[in-house]
Amino acid sequence: MFTGIIEEIGRIDRIELTDDAARFTVRGPIAVSDARHGDSISVSGVCLTVVEQGDDWFTADVMRQTLVTSTLGDAAEGRTVNLERAAKIGDRIGGHIVQGHIDGTSELLSVVPGEAWRVLRFSLDPAHAPLVVDKGSITVDGTSLTVSAVGDDWFEVSLIPETLTATTLGERVVGDRVNIETDILARQVQRMLRFEGDRA
């Protein structure tokens, strides 16, 4: 489990492709400072498992399904990524409960700058639209954010300077794809309502 509070901006140093998977080497000294084999690290919102590590890097295997459904599938060596270690029991949850199991990707549609913030509008898949609400939580590239506005096929987030500098979201331009994870509580309620409807 994660909280969506990014600890550092890392970098993909190497990608080794196979027929149905890939092995990523990611540089992130904070992420590996206390990591052990088998630990989970969120890489731009995708929960990956440490299989090897060094002083400031770790490697993780990424299966085909993850490559297809996330931005890791078109990532290139040198790309920056948001990194967060798994939360410890007893930690403060500064963001919200994040699983690292993304729902899919969204495209950045527009960026509106303000004096000290930016408003980013992203596309919203019809399958995810019922799970995104105004003032609700959403995870974008692993970052816990509050939805500031939402339509039928789009949502917006308003980013403060800290978020723009502490995450990769400050680098994103129109047309970029990002990983999104909707609120787990909304997903659970949707699932329960589906079964209630079947019994009605």
Side-chain angles (χ1 to χ4, degrees), residues 83-102:
L83 299 177
E84 181 193 355
R85 292 170 291 182
K88 295 180 180 178
I89 294 176
D91 280 356
R92 290 185 177 90
I93 300 179
H96 70 283
I97 296 174
V98 177
Q99 292 184 296
H101 304 157
I102 68 164

Side-chain angles (χ1 to χ4, degrees), residues 108-176:
L108 180 55
L109 301 176
S110 66
V111 177
V112 178
E115 285 188 27
W117 63 87
R118 287 182 208 160
V119 177
L120 276 59
R121 176 175 288 196
F122 294 96
S123 64
L124 186 57
D125 188 290
H128 306 146
L131 305 174
V132 181
V133 298
D134 188 32
K135 305 303 184 290
S137 296
I138 194 165
T139 309
V140 178
D141 272 353
T143 307
S144 173
L145 298 170
T146 300
V147 176
S148 56
V150 63
D152 291 340
D153 58 1
W154 58 268
F155 71 93
E156 291 180 349
V157 291
S158 300
L159 306 184
I160 61 174
E162 172 64 18
T163 305
L164 292 170
T165 58
T167 76
T168 61
L169 295 178
E171 307 170 4
R172 296 292 167 249
V173 297
V174 172
D176 283 352

